[in-house]
Amino acid sequence: MKRRTLDLLFSIGGLGLAVLLLVVGVVLTTNANFANDYVRDQLGAQHITFTPADELSDEEKKSDCLREYAGQKMTTGKQAECYANEYIGLHLKNMAGGKTYADLGEPQSALREQVAQAEQSNAANLADLQKQLAEVTAQRETVFKGETLRGLLLTSYGFSEFGRKAEQGALAMYLGAGLLLLLSIAGLVHAFRTPANATFAAPEKEKVTN
């Protein structure tokens, strides 16, 4: 095969791949922008602001991200992750001793049964049991709200990570497209500088000996 033909084939193929990588990069960039805008808009609509630095509790001050974002409005996935795990998570742990909404269901049901029995027998500790039931119910409702908000914030964080990965993928596609473009141009230049009759890996003619 002629060397010029081979150079042209590789160069044209490289240009085609460069265009393909460029298209993929644009698609990834579009997805990344959508994810970032969506997360920013959704978090911004919640109007959540981090506690100012001078108002953080001793436990909250142990968190690097709570100190970093102190006083800022929540607009990014990283901020949502910090608020969910370091702020809401900390307060839920302190409030219920690490118990979840599901964990608190058992003591709540048990107290309901005790209150029902106490009401039937007109027990002396009825008021105390009703107070305990009200406290557990309120605690469980608060934990449910906190866990729900925490889950929503972590979902936003996860969505933002997809956007970040898309940005990284787009950058890789653009770099690959640029490299292929340069190589293809170099191939074209080499093709037109190569003599038309030059061949690639042509077998050497055997020397005739007398």
Side-chain angles (χ1 to χ4, degrees):
M1 178 182 289
K2 292 184 178 181
R3 181 58 187 265
R4 176 178 290 184
T5 302
L6 186 64
D7 287 342
L8 289 174
L9 288 176
F10 277 113
S11 298
I12 294 173
L15 288 173
L17 287 176
V19 172
L20 177 61
L21 291 180
L22 182 62
V23 172
V24 174
V26 171
V27 172
L28 290 174
T29 298
T30 302
N31 291 338
N33 291 336
F34 170 77
N36 293 332
D37 292 343
Y38 180 83
V39 169
R40 184 185 64 250
D41 294 342
Q42 291 299 313
L43 293 178
Q46 301 303 317
H47 303 292
I48 297 176
T49 302
F50 284 86
T51 304
D54 56 351
E55 296 180 13
L56 292 173
S57 66
D58 292 337
E59 285 187 293
E60 292 169 348
K61 289 179 180 178
K62 295 178 182 178
S63 170
D64 294 334
C65 66
L66 288 180
R67 295 197 309 271
E68 178 183 355
Y69 299 132
Q72 298 181 20
K73 289 186 177 181
M74 185 190 303
T75 57
T76 68
K78 282 292 185 182
Q79 289 177 325
E81 180 194 27
C82 174
Y83 196 88
N85 291 333
E86 303 297 331
Y87 187 81
I88 296 178
L90 174 64
H91 286 272
L92 288 176
K93 181 179 179 181
N94 292 337
M95 179 185 301
K99 292 182 179 179
T100 65
Y101 172 80
D103 294 333
L104 293 172
E106 184 176 346
Q108 184 186 42
S109 298
L111 282 170
R112 282 175 176 169
E113 292 180 3
Q114 294 178 30
V115 167
Q117 294 174 359
E119 288 176 342
Q120 292 178 357
S121 60
N122 197 21
N125 63 341
L126 174 60
D128 183 57
L129 290 173
Q130 290 175 332
K131 180 180 178 182
Q132 292 181 40
L133 176 59
E135 291 175 351
V136 171
T137 300
Q139 188 180 58
R140 193 177 186 218
E141 290 177 353
T142 302
V143 168
F144 174 75
K145 293 177 182 178
E147 289 180 349
T148 301
L149 177 57
R150 182 169 179 264
L152 292 174
L153 292 178
L154 289 177
T155 298
S156 296
Y157 164 68
F159 202 74
S160 72
E161 284 297 290
F162 282 117
R164 187 174 68 86
K165 296 297 183 182
E167 287 179 344
Q168 294 175 346
L171 178 60
M173 294 299 104
Y174 292 142
L175 292 176
L179 179 60
L180 284 173
L181 178 62
L182 292 176
L183 291 175
S184 298
I185 292 175
L188 290 173
V189 171
H190 185 271
F192 288 108
R193 287 183 177 180
T194 301
N197 59 349
T199 58
F200 177 75
E204 296 184 1
K205 295 182 179 180
E206 294 183 359
K207 296 181 180 179
V208 179
T209 58
N210 294 330

